[in-house]
Amino acid sequence: MSDDAPDSLIPYDEIVQEALRAVVGRVLGEVESTGILPGEHHFYITFKTAAAGVDIPRHLTERFPDEMTIVIQNRFWDLKVREDGFEVGLSFNQAPARLVIPFAAITGFVDPAVNFALQFQAQADESGPQAHEEAENDHPGAEPVEDGSNVVSVDFSRKK
């Protein structure tokens, strides 16, 4: 097979990214409707803090100017899922905060309880994710599993 694949007039990469982000929306929607996380499920959600539509407190934007990871586990409230994103209340250093995050801003979703992960292309930055600290919102314990189990990573980079 040739490395010179023709350019597609159908935006497959965008369609797949949108479909995978819909998985995040559906999972969060289930949690919203029941009001609880079932079993041991919990989520690490990484997103671009400067992306269009993101609304987080200024002190978080200053600490995480590019990307941050939040944990939805034991201490979250007012989860509201919309067609284009979600909002949630979390605590950072014992201070409550409301975060509004469009699905288009999400770059990663992990449920370590079942070794499930989705990784998304950054919308505007093609240089790849920059190193960042975890948000350290108030949560007890578990770190995300990064052994590659059940990870779906989609990268539609084109060779030119």
Side-chain angles (χ1 to χ4, degrees):
M1 191 162 158
S2 172
D3 285 340
D4 296 326
D7 287 339
S8 175
L9 299 177
I10 299 172
Y12 288 112
D13 54 346
E14 293 173 24
I15 294 168
V16 170
Q17 291 290 309
E18 185 177 309
L20 291 174
R21 284 188 171 91
V23 171
V24 176
R26 182 168 175 185
V27 168
L28 292 176
E30 293 287 327
V31 173
E32 176 189 27
S33 68
T34 63
I36 60 169
L37 285 162
E40 299 296 315
H41 291 278
H42 57 288
F43 313 126
Y44 289 83
I45 300 173
T46 303
F47 63 97
K48 293 289 190 180
T49 55
V54 170
D55 184 10
I56 62 176
R58 187 173 60 178
H59 72 278
L60 293 176
T61 303
E62 290 170 354
R63 184 169 176 201
F64 305 99
D66 179 51
E67 193 171 62
M68 76 182 280
T69 301
I70 58 172
V71 180
I72 297 181
Q73 189 171 14
N74 296 328
R75 299 180 73 177
F76 71 94
W77 57 91
D78 295 334
L79 177 62
K80 294 183 178 90
V81 181
R82 302 180 313 271
E83 187 173 317
D84 65 337
F86 70 100
E87 61 184 80
V88 66
L90 293 171
S91 178
F92 296 87
N93 295 324
Q94 308 300 320
R98 183 179 142 276
L99 292 80
V100 176
I101 304 168
F103 293 128
I106 296 174
T107 59
F109 176 86
V110 178
D111 183 347
V114 292
N115 294 329
F116 179 80
L118 294 172
Q119 295 175 339
F120 306 101
Q121 292 175 339
Q123 295 294 326
D125 181 15
E126 295 187 13
S127 64
Q130 296 178 359
H132 68 284
E133 301 176 48
E134 284 201 14
E136 298 177 8
N137 56 304
D138 301 336
H139 69 285
E143 293 296 315
V145 176
E146 295 185 17
D147 65 352
S149 300
N150 295 324
V151 172
V152 176
S153 179
V154 180
D155 183 6
F156 291 98
S157 301
R158 294 186 200 166
K159 292 183 181 180
K160 295 195 178 194

